[in-house]
Amino acid sequence: MATVAVWLSLAAAVASAANTDASWWAYTHVRVVKEFSGGRMLTVHCKSKDDNMGTHWVGPKSEYEWRFRPSIFGNTLFWCHVWKGDDSQIVYDAYYAGDDKLYDRVYMDNSYWVVKDDDLYLRQFWKGIDVFFHH
């Protein structure tokens, strides 16, 4: 009976934390923005093992964004395929909790991926730079 009480207490604590804005359970935002020249559309298809975000078309000076709560086990991975309206395709990990190098380049659980004429960049607002980040 004591074991059941411990498990119920633990479940209640996790449920309570999930309903607050605790940083370990806060939403993570990922954005993909088109900043390449020409009138071509940017095609974006992102997914994880559990979630398929579908295909989205991004026009000039526009972006595609989604949000999620990372797994408490630290293994959340979202990857994306982007096409610049021609045959060029970029495939990359848009979010991976297990990649310290990537996580260090993300600010406040926000990833801002920029597709430019020459390749893919990760925008670092706090430094005022776009970091080249091709696959």
Side-chain angles (χ1 to χ4, degrees):
M1 195 62 140
T3 303
V4 172
V6 169
W7 279 109
L8 288 175
S9 296
L10 180 61
V14 169
S16 174
N19 291 326
T20 65
D21 195 22
S23 63
W24 66 273
W25 193 249
Y27 280 106
T28 294
H29 295 262
V30 177
R31 292 172 183 84
V32 183
V33 64
K34 175 194 184 286
E35 286 192 6
F36 58 86
S37 59
R40 299 168 293 167
M41 297 290 279
L42 174 67
T43 304
V44 180
H45 186 190
C46 300
K47 61 186 189 176
S48 71
K49 182 181 87 169
D50 300 319
D51 299 300
N52 186 338
M53 308 312 291
T55 301
H56 300 269
W57 292 269
V58 180
K61 300 187 190 264
S62 296
E63 64 185 47
Y64 167 63
E65 174 186 1
W66 78 95
R67 69 182 191 156
F68 60 95
R69 286 190 168 130
S71 165
I72 61 172
F73 301 109
N75 60 354
T76 302
L77 167 63
F78 276 93
W79 64 93
C80 295
H81 295 246
V82 295
W83 296 266
K84 294 193 285 185
D86 54 19
D87 290 336
S88 63
Q89 175 183 212
I90 301 171
V91 180
Y92 66 99
D93 291 346
Y95 177 90
Y96 181 39
D99 184 345
D100 291 336
K101 181 179 177 184
L102 175 59
Y103 188 77
D104 288 344
R105 294 181 178 183
V106 172
Y107 181 67
M108 301 288 292
D109 296 322
N110 287 283
S111 300
Y112 198 91
W113 295 98
V114 182
V115 182
K116 297 185 179 188
D117 285 313
D118 61 336
D119 222 311
L120 176 70
Y121 294 80
L122 182 59
R123 183 153 290 160
Q124 293 184 332
F125 288 103
W126 66 100
K127 291 183 179 178
I129 61 173
D130 292 340
V131 178
F132 180 75
F133 206 89
H134 186 66
H135 46 288

PDB file of all heavy atoms in Angstrom, residues 5-15:
ATOM      1  N   ALA A   5       1.019   4.534  -2.704  1.00  0.00           N
ATOM      2  CA  ALA A   5       0.970   5.933  -2.269  1.00  0.00           C
ATOM      3  C   ALA A   5       2.153   6.716  -2.827  1.00  0.00           C
ATOM      4  O   ALA A   5       2.006   7.863  -3.258  1.00  0.00           O
ATOM      5  CB  ALA A   5       0.943   6.013  -0.749  1.00  0.00           C
ATOM      6  N   VAL A   6       3.328   6.110  -2.848  1.00  0.00           N
ATOM      7  CA  VAL A   6       4.514   6.783  -3.397  1.00  0.00           C
ATOM      8  C   VAL A   6       4.325   7.034  -4.885  1.00  0.00           C
ATOM      9  O   VAL A   6       4.601   8.129  -5.379  1.00  0.00           O
ATOM     10  CB  VAL A   6       5.790   5.947  -3.118  1.00  0.00           C
ATOM     11  CG1 VAL A   6       6.965   6.487  -3.910  1.00  0.00           C
ATOM     12  CG2 VAL A   6       6.088   5.927  -1.633  1.00  0.00           C
ATOM     13  N   TRP A   7       3.852   6.028  -5.612  1.00  0.00           N
ATOM     14  CA  TRP A   7       3.641   6.188  -7.055  1.00  0.00           C
ATOM     15  C   TRP A   7       2.577   7.245  -7.341  1.00  0.00           C
ATOM     16  O   TRP A   7       2.717   8.045  -8.262  1.00  0.00           O
ATOM     17  CB  TRP A   7       3.252   4.863  -7.698  1.00  0.00           C
ATOM     18  CG  TRP A   7       4.430   3.990  -7.968  1.00  0.00           C
ATOM     19  CD1 TRP A   7       4.768   2.838  -7.329  1.00  0.00           C
ATOM     20  CD2 TRP A   7       5.467   4.227  -8.918  1.00  0.00           C
ATOM     21  NE1 TRP A   7       5.947   2.339  -7.832  1.00  0.00           N
ATOM     22  CE2 TRP A   7       6.401   3.173  -8.820  1.00  0.00           C
ATOM     23  CE3 TRP A   7       5.710   5.219  -9.856  1.00  0.00           C
ATOM     24  CZ2 TRP A   7       7.535   3.088  -9.609  1.00  0.00           C
ATOM     25  CZ3 TRP A   7       6.846   5.131 -10.653  1.00  0.00           C
ATOM     26  CH2 TRP A   7       7.742   4.085 -10.517  1.00  0.00           C
ATOM     27  N   LEU A   8       1.504   7.267  -6.578  1.00  0.00           N
ATOM     28  CA  LEU A   8       0.471   8.281  -6.772  1.00  0.00           C
ATOM     29  C   LEU A   8       0.998   9.679  -6.479  1.00  0.00           C
ATOM     30  O   LEU A   8       0.679  10.639  -7.182  1.00  0.00           O
ATOM     31  CB  LEU A   8      -0.746   7.965  -5.903  1.00  0.00           C
ATOM     32  CG  LEU A   8      -1.585   6.762  -6.349  1.00  0.00           C
ATOM     33  CD1 LEU A   8      -2.688   6.478  -5.331  1.00  0.00           C
ATOM     34  CD2 LEU A   8      -2.178   7.007  -7.722  1.00  0.00           C
ATOM     35  N   SER A   9       1.820   9.803  -5.453  1.00  0.00           N
ATOM     36  CA  SER A   9       2.421  11.099  -5.131  1.00  0.00           C
ATOM     37  C   SER A   9       3.338  11.567  -6.250  1.00  0.00           C
ATOM     38  O   SER A   9       3.340  12.738  -6.630  1.00  0.00           O
ATOM     39  CB  SER A   9       3.204  11.024  -3.824  1.00  0.00           C
ATOM     40  OG  SER A   9       2.346  10.744  -2.749  1.00  0.00           O
ATOM     41  N   LEU A  10       4.136  10.646  -6.781  1.00  0.00           N
ATOM     42  CA  LEU A  10       5.034  10.978  -7.880  1.00  0.00           C
ATOM     43  C   LEU A  10       4.245  11.390  -9.119  1.00  0.00           C
ATOM     44  O   LEU A  10       4.568  12.382  -9.768  1.00  0.00           O
ATOM     45  CB  LEU A  10       5.944   9.795  -8.198  1.00  0.00           C
ATOM     46  CG  LEU A  10       6.940   9.997  -9.328  1.00  0.00           C
ATOM     47  CD1 LEU A  10       7.889  11.145  -9.004  1.00  0.00           C
ATOM     48  CD2 LEU A  10       7.716   8.728  -9.586  1.00  0.00           C
ATOM     49  N   ALA A  11       3.194  10.653  -9.436  1.00  0.00           N
ATOM     50  CA  ALA A  11       2.352  10.986 -10.587  1.00  0.00           C
ATOM     51  C   ALA A  11       1.701  12.348 -10.408  1.00  0.00           C
ATOM     52  O   ALA A  11       1.623  13.143 -11.345  1.00  0.00           O
ATOM     53  CB  ALA A  11       1.300   9.904 -10.794  1.00  0.00           C
ATOM     54  N   ALA A  12       1.246  12.653  -9.220  1.00  0.00           N
ATOM     55  CA  ALA A  12       0.629  13.952  -8.949  1.00  0.00           C
ATOM     56  C   ALA A  12       1.644  15.078  -9.097  1.00  0.00           C
ATOM     57  O   ALA A  12       1.335  16.142  -9.632  1.00  0.00           O
ATOM     58  CB  ALA A  12       0.022  13.964  -7.548  1.00  0.00           C
ATOM     59  N   ALA A  13       2.863  14.858  -8.647  1.00  0.00           N
ATOM     60  CA  ALA A  13       3.908  15.879  -8.764  1.00  0.00           C
ATOM     61  C   ALA A  13       4.241  16.147 -10.226  1.00  0.00           C
ATOM     62  O   ALA A  13       4.394  17.301 -10.639  1.00  0.00           O
ATOM     63  CB  ALA A  13       5.156  15.439  -8.004  1.00  0.00           C
ATOM     64  N   VAL A  14       4.348  15.088 -11.030  1.00  0.00           N
ATOM     65  CA  VAL A  14       4.639  15.263 -12.458  1.00  0.00           C
ATOM     66  C   VAL A  14       3.488  15.973 -13.148  1.00  0.00           C
ATOM     67  O   VAL A  14       3.691  16.886 -13.940  1.00  0.00           O
ATOM     68  CB  VAL A  14       4.935  13.899 -13.123  1.00  0.00           C
ATOM     69  CG1 VAL A  14       4.980  14.028 -14.638  1.00  0.00           C
ATOM     70  CG2 VAL A  14       6.239  13.331 -12.593  1.00  0.00           C
ATOM     71  N   ALA A  15       2.266  15.594 -12.847  1.00  0.00           N
ATOM     72  CA  ALA A  15       1.093  16.237 -13.445  1.00  0.00           C
ATOM     73  C   ALA A  15       1.020  17.700 -13.051  1.00  0.00           C
ATOM     74  O   ALA A  15       0.715  18.568 -13.864  1.00  0.00           O
ATOM     75  CB  ALA A  15      -0.179  15.506 -13.034  1.00  0.00           C
TER      76      ALA A  15
END
